[in-house]
Amino acid sequence: MQLTNFASWIPSEKAQLQVAHAPFPKSGDDELVIQNHAIAINPVDWKIQSSGGFSLSYPAILGEDVAGEILEVGSNVRDQFRVGQRVIAHSLGLGKGSAYGGFQLFSVLKAATTSLIPDDVSFREGAVLPLSISTAAAGLYMKATLGLDYPETKSKMTRSSAKGKKTSTLLLWGGSTSVGSSVIQLASASGYAVTTTASPSNYDYSKTLGANFVLDYHNPDIVPILIALLKDANVVGAYDAVGSESTVRQCAAVLDALGGGKIASVGSAPNDLPKRVKIARIGSTGILNQEPEVAQKIWGEYVPAALDAGKLVPAPKALVAGKHLEDVQEGLDVQKKGVSARKVVITLR
């Protein structure tokens, strides 16, 4: 039986999504084709729809989080994957073209940002992870960002500084965000203590994922509180998973008071921070295009092993906003309105 592909297209800049036929994808040597069972929505999707940008050629297919079943395996990756396996993947439509977009029935994927998932992880659960994993890894492990040590699946003692006295600690802004959820899990698995910010309603959520301390970002005294809390720690850097100018400056104020350091930011990167504070913008595709060893360590080794061992859990929880491609626009609208400690998912099977 010949399969037919459909996609939820963005036909032109700032237009509403429309479902229509799409070419059936074919894998390259290092690629896979999957049938999508679930797709997730990210802020970047509605931001593109609202304001354009990203040098897209229209019509285009957005979407970066997919979960599904392998239909085709490229010649170079047949020792890693086979037809019928269940996978999640960071699809790369924003950089590679519409065949790689997630908002369609069948997508072509780079094997390097794809992972097997165990049977006890549902497609809707798994779909919440991919882009957040790549973004977390890009900020934590690339030499161009924080350059931290890689995670391990075995239990790990919290790292200490060379002096053996101070606990090696990551400052994370936005622990209950989708990216922050993966940052907590990966950094903890790397042996770092994590001090993060969240609203009080998400304290338990962040601690369940592995955060050591969670503080209310609404507190007007959050910066001096963090300085006092971290003065006896070896702060290895700050990860700003919110990326606004104000949150970056708050991270910078904390680091500067502690002697300086580096911030990895998902967004804003002001050029007038204190001299002892450096900043690096995070790009999720950097782990593939700039430092592919990071993609191999995280996607190729850690993610499948950690999912299988239950050391990496799908978080935040899926908020299912529909069951068809026609519902993707509603999913974008729900995400745009704002969700807390949830990720909007559309199931397709």
Side-chain angles (χ1 to χ4, degrees), residues 314-335:
K317 288 185 178 180
L319 175 62
V320 177
K323 298 182 179 181
H324 308 281
L325 286 174
E326 289 82 0
D327 299 320
V328 176
Q329 181 61 60
E330 173 64 19
L332 266 66
D333 296 339
V334 170
Q335 216 292 327

Side-chain angles (χ1 to χ4, degrees), residues 10-334:
I10 180 166
S12 58
E13 190 172 63
K14 302 181 183 180
Q16 295 285 288
L17 300 187
Q18 297 178 2
V19 175
H21 281 279
F24 198 91
K26 181 173 178 57
S27 66
D29 292 342
D30 301 304
E31 298 174 340
L32 310 166
V33 172
I34 72 165
Q35 181 171 11
N36 291 320
H37 287 237
I39 56 181
I41 312 295
N42 291 284
V44 67
D45 300 314
W46 66 257
K47 288 178 181 178
I48 289 174
Q49 185 178 52
S50 296
S51 58
F54 282 81
S55 301
L56 284 184
S57 296
Y58 293 93
I61 302 173
L62 305 176
E64 298 197 70
D65 283 330
V66 298
E69 185 177 343
I70 297 175
L71 293 183
E72 184 179 309
V73 181
S75 59
N76 289 345
V77 291
R78 288 173 183 164
D79 59 336
Q80 304 171 49
F81 298 99
R82 65 177 185 272
V83 172
Q85 288 181 315
R86 305 169 71 251
V87 295
I88 59 171
H90 174 196
S91 57
L92 302 166
L94 293 181
K96 297 292 183 179
S98 290
Y100 297 82
F103 296 165
Q104 56 188 321
L105 298 182
F106 303 93
S107 297
V108 61
L109 309 170
K110 292 294 182 183
T113 54
T114 302
S115 170
L116 300 177
I117 57 173
D119 290 341
D120 61 354
V121 174
S122 69
F123 291 118
R124 70 171 64 181
E125 291 172 323
V128 308
L129 283 172
L131 178 59
S132 72
I133 288 174
S134 291
T135 307
L140 292 172
Y141 304 116
M142 288 179 61
K143 296 180 181 67
T145 54
L146 297 182
L148 302 184
D149 293 321
Y150 290 118
E152 298 178 7
T153 54
K154 64 182 180 181
S155 298
K156 202 167 194 177
M157 295 291 291
T158 302
R159 295 181 184 275
S160 297
S161 65
K163 296 178 181 179
K165 296 293 184 181
K166 295 185 176 182
T167 300
S168 293
T169 301
L170 175 75
L171 171 60
L172 167 64
W173 213 280
S176 64
T177 64
S178 177
V179 172
S181 299
S182 288
V183 171
I184 293 172
Q185 295 195 78
L186 290 178
S188 297
S190 294
Y192 298 99
V194 178
T195 293
T196 190
T197 64
S199 62
S201 61
N202 290 322
Y203 282 2
D204 289 343
Y205 169 78
S206 299
K207 288 183 178 180
T208 298
L209 294 177
N212 299 79
F213 294 100
V214 189
L215 292 90
D216 185 1
Y217 66 89
H218 298 100
N219 192 321
D221 295 321
I222 184 65
V223 168
I225 291 172
L226 282 167
I227 293 170
L229 178 65
L230 297 173
K231 63 182 176 61
D232 293 324
N234 172 40
V235 178
V236 296
Y239 191 118
D240 189 343
V242 177
S244 68
E245 182 169 346
S246 62
T247 57
V248 167
R249 293 190 183 280
Q250 287 172 304
C251 288
V254 175
L255 292 185
D256 187 49
L258 298 174
K262 195 169 188 179
I263 303 169
S265 169
V266 298
S268 180
N271 58 13
D272 60 344
L273 297 178
K275 291 183 179 180
R276 297 188 295 181
V277 177
K278 307 299 181 184
I279 189 164
R281 281 287 304 275
I282 299 166
S284 61
T285 58
I287 65 170
L288 189 63
N289 301 331
Q290 299 170 34
E291 298 184 31
E293 63 275 15
V294 177
Q296 172 58 30
K297 283 290 187 180
I298 301 304
W299 277 104
E301 299 176 21
Y302 179 74
V303 172
L307 284 171
D308 194 52
K311 300 293 186 180
L312 176 66
V313 299
K317 288 185 178 180
L319 175 62
V320 177
K323 298 182 179 181
H324 308 281
L325 286 174
E326 289 82 0
D327 299 320
V328 176
Q329 181 61 60
E330 173 64 19
L332 266 66
D333 296 339
V334 170

